[in-house]
Amino acid sequence: MAVLHLMVGLPGAGKTTTARALAEQHRALRLTPDEWMIPLFADNDAGGKRDVLEGRFITTALQVLRLGVDVVLDFGLWSRDERAALHHLAAGAGARCRSVHLPVEPEEQWRRVQARASTVGSSTFAMAREDLDGWRLRFEPPDAAEAAGGAPARAVPEGWPSWQAWAVDRWPSLDVAGR
Ligand SMILES: Nc1ncnc2c1ncn2[C@@H]1O[C@H](COP(=O)(O)OP(=O)(O)OP(=O)(O)O)[C@@H](O)[C@H]1O
Ligand SMILES: [Mg+2]
């Protein structure tokens, strides 16, 4: 059974570093939005284009999972709803899904972000210390169910008939049938 690996963590937590290792270990396709947003738009959002790109990546991921190949989604995925939706979509493609949460303490995070900025530069975005503090407040860590390897214990958000419908609203250009 193919596995969808979800990288979960704040900037500088080590998601891309770990995603590369997982891709090698599991012969998985790794999808890292920053590696596309920067060459295409020199911006990390570009007026909502990141959501569109992620929607196409998830569609591609569903195709690849159906082919029996693992996928690593290196998105960040701060929201439990996002992760619940992806667990659900993976199940629909006949795949397993697991969240790989990488916690990082504030001081270590800042040290890594600064160290990275002084080395790579072109493959990541500049970040200020205040940005990191604000983002940490918005991050939703895995609940017990997710930490134990399952889907987050989340009901479909009110107003949505299904996780599929929620996901298509969250990620424009997503085709939940993986076409
Ligand atoms: N376990 C670790 N111990 C020490 N340094 C690490 C560790 N994991 C990653 N790093 C370093 O920290 C920096 C940030 O790592 P990485 O780029 O993988 O983070 P990220 O979570 O992908 O960040 P972003 O969300 O900004 O893309 C890099 O310079 C990396 O080499
Ligand atoms: Mg990264």
Side-chain angles (χ1 to χ4, degrees), residues 51 160 163-172 174:
D51 292 337
W160 297 102
W163 277 120
Q164 282 94 335
W166 184 90
V168 169
D169 181 70
R170 168 64 185 82
W171 290 289
L174 167 63

Side-chain angles (χ1 to χ4, degrees), residues 9 12 99 141 159:
S99 300

Side-chain angles (χ1 to χ4, degrees), residues 59 73 96 117:
T59 307
L73 282 189
R96 270 203 322 113

Side-chain angles (χ1 to χ4, degrees), residues 10-17 34 108 111-112 116 127:
L10 289 164
K15 297 181 301 295
T16 300
T17 305
D34 282 355
E108 173 65 9
R111 197 191 62 71
R112 287 186 198 172
R116 182 178 61 183
M127 294 169 193

Side-chain angles (χ1 to χ4, degrees), residues 111-129:
R111 197 191 62 71
R112 287 186 198 172
V113 164
Q114 284 180 300
R116 182 178 61 183
S118 67
T119 53
V120 273
S122 66
S123 65
T124 58
F125 300 100
M127 294 169 193
R129 180 89 200 232

